[in-house]
Amino acid sequence: MPDPRHGIPAAYGGVEPDAAWAAEIKRLAKARNATILAHNYQLPAIQDIADHVGDSLALSRIAAEVDADEIVFCGVHFMAETAKILSPEKRVLIPDERAGCSLADSISADELRDWKADYPDALVVSYVNTTAEVKGLTDICCTSSNAVDVVASIDPDRDVLFLPDQFLGAHVKRETGRDNIHIWAGECHVHAGINGDELTDQVDSHPDAALFIHPECGCATSALYLAGEGTVPQDRVQILSTGGMIDAAKATESKQVLVATEVGMLHQLRKAAPEVDFQAVNSRAACPYMKMITPAALLRCLSEGKDEVRVAPDVADRARASVERMIAIGNPGGGE
């Protein structure tokens, strides 16, 4: 039943992720010839049982390459759709099809059609955090790590419609210096909630820490301002995708890092660099949709073969073309 406070459905519960659960998950996955993929924002137990952990696009590309009949995507719905788009011949399951995304839901296909009608000569650049139908109306997809390169590859005289994340769009506009980029006013409610005041407070109380900031965050501009003012040395402020954060964690010389993104990311960062003290800028920044993929939901998925994700073939073909155009630019990106 829906959570009365947030309108978010209650997650499947009642199962502890103990050794018996882990053994049964592995047994069922082998019996189904299924590969389990888990996004970086998933619960630690889900990340630890998965065959592959990463950001959504990287996982979707793995899904296309693995020798498996089924892909079990532990993430939110648009991510499983992307896996289906890139692996049309495979059966794609999500442990709870109700796991949505506030960012992907911030623009519909009809809204995009109307926006395109206002700018008939513009090219549409869509973040991968969008539905299959929106990707199908897109000229070129992008990720948070390659969004600047994708927009920079477009004729500077051509208008660009960038969607749906306004904070990533602001980052791209700042980096490219384009005046003809029009930005949709969408946001991830979790990332948008990590604000500049919280970041400033954390920087004040952790003066020697480096900063890893996801460009979807409401505090990204504040981080750059703090660097520009000298409050934090510029070489300690990095605007990074989730995949980029893993690479940066392995390379950092800082003893402490403040991380501005969904808190599930801390699990992989701490595994990548256990000697570094990773702390969340906002410890409450947990996506309730990501956390719907519970141990009980994963067990149900593998036991009953639910929930299957389907994308109409014509929509998938158009959406696949927008992803392939991105890859052809030369920087396929590290996902969201």
Side-chain angles (χ1 to χ4, degrees):
M1 60 182 294
D3 183 322
R5 295 166 299 172
H6 308 293
I8 295 169
Y12 295 104
V15 173
E16 290 297 320
D18 55 17
W21 169 83
E24 181 65 359
I25 293 296
K26 290 295 187 183
R27 185 190 72 79
L28 289 168
K30 183 177 181 180
R32 300 185 71 92
N33 192 23
T35 293
I36 301 173
L37 309 179
H39 188 268
N40 290 316
Y41 296 162
Q42 289 290 290
L43 293 166
I46 301 297
Q47 294 188 38
D48 289 343
I49 199 67
D51 298 300
H52 302 279
V53 181
D55 56 52
S56 66
L57 183 60
L59 291 173
S60 292
R61 297 177 76 184
I62 289 171
E65 296 169 0
V66 296
D67 182 15
D69 296 324
E70 293 185 343
I71 304 300
V72 176
F73 207 119
C74 299
V76 293
H77 199 271
F78 82 80
M79 298 179 180
E81 281 189 337
T82 304
K84 183 64 178 178
I85 288 165
L86 296 181
S87 304
E89 76 289 353
K90 293 174 182 170
R91 190 166 186 253
V92 176
L93 303 174
I94 183 170
D96 191 334
E97 66 181 359
R98 304 170 301 167
C101 171
S102 61
L103 178 56
D105 288 345
S106 67
I107 186 167
S108 68
D110 286 341
E111 287 172 325
L112 178 52
R113 288 187 187 95
D114 290 342
W115 199 28
K116 289 175 67 172
D118 292 336
Y119 299 91
D121 296 324
L123 278 179
V124 176
V125 177
S126 292
Y127 193 21
V128 292
N129 295 35
T130 47
T131 65
E133 287 193 348
V134 167
K135 286 185 180 73
L137 296 170
T138 293
D139 293 298
I140 310 175
C141 273
C142 74
T143 69
S144 58
S145 63
N146 70 14
V148 172
D149 289 342
V150 167
V151 173
S153 74
I154 297 170
D155 183 339
D157 294 327
R158 191 87 180 264
D159 277 9
V160 173
L161 303 183
F162 187 93
L163 62 101
D165 189 82
Q166 59 184 310
F167 298 110
L168 179 58
H171 171 67
V172 171
K173 185 172 185 176
R174 185 168 53 237
E175 291 294 312
T176 61
R178 292 181 80 117
D179 292 327
N180 59 350
I181 179 171
H182 310 278
I183 301 168
W184 189 260
E187 63 182 29
C188 160
H189 74 285
V190 176
H191 283 97
I194 307 175
N195 61 53
D197 290 342
E198 287 176 330
L199 178 66
T200 301
D201 289 345
Q202 290 281 17
V203 167
D204 287 345
S205 58
H206 302 86
D208 297 322
L211 305 181
F212 288 0
I213 311 292
H214 195 283
E216 285 180 38
C217 288
C219 66
T221 299
S222 296
L224 295 174
Y225 173 80
L226 292 172
E229 291 293 298
T231 305
V232 181
Q234 290 195 6
D235 62 355
R236 293 219 308 265
V237 178
Q238 297 185 69
I239 309 295
L240 298 163
S241 66
T242 55
M245 286 184 183
I246 296 292
D247 294 336
K250 295 174 181 177
T252 189
E253 297 180 359
S254 299
K255 294 181 179 179
Q256 188 174 61
V257 177
L258 298 176
V259 182
T261 192
E262 208 273 355
V263 293
M265 190 70 212
L266 294 172
H267 186 60
Q268 287 301 312
L269 291 174
R270 289 166 178 162
K271 290 175 72 171
E275 72 283 1
V276 178
D277 178 22
F278 293 99
Q279 295 294 326
V281 170
N282 181 338
S283 62
R284 304 176 306 282
C287 174
Y289 293 110
M290 283 286 183
K291 274 44 177 182
M292 288 178 70
I293 309 303
T294 60
L298 180 55
L299 183 62
R300 165 186 174 270
C301 174
L302 288 167
S303 299
E304 302 177 18
K306 296 180 177 179
D307 293 314
E308 184 171 1
V309 175
R310 294 179 172 86
V311 179
D314 60 323
V315 173
D317 289 345
R318 293 196 303 272
R320 191 178 309 112
S322 68
V323 174
E324 290 172 347
R325 290 187 197 105
M326 173 189 73
I327 294 171
I329 288 170
N331 176 6
E336 73 296 328

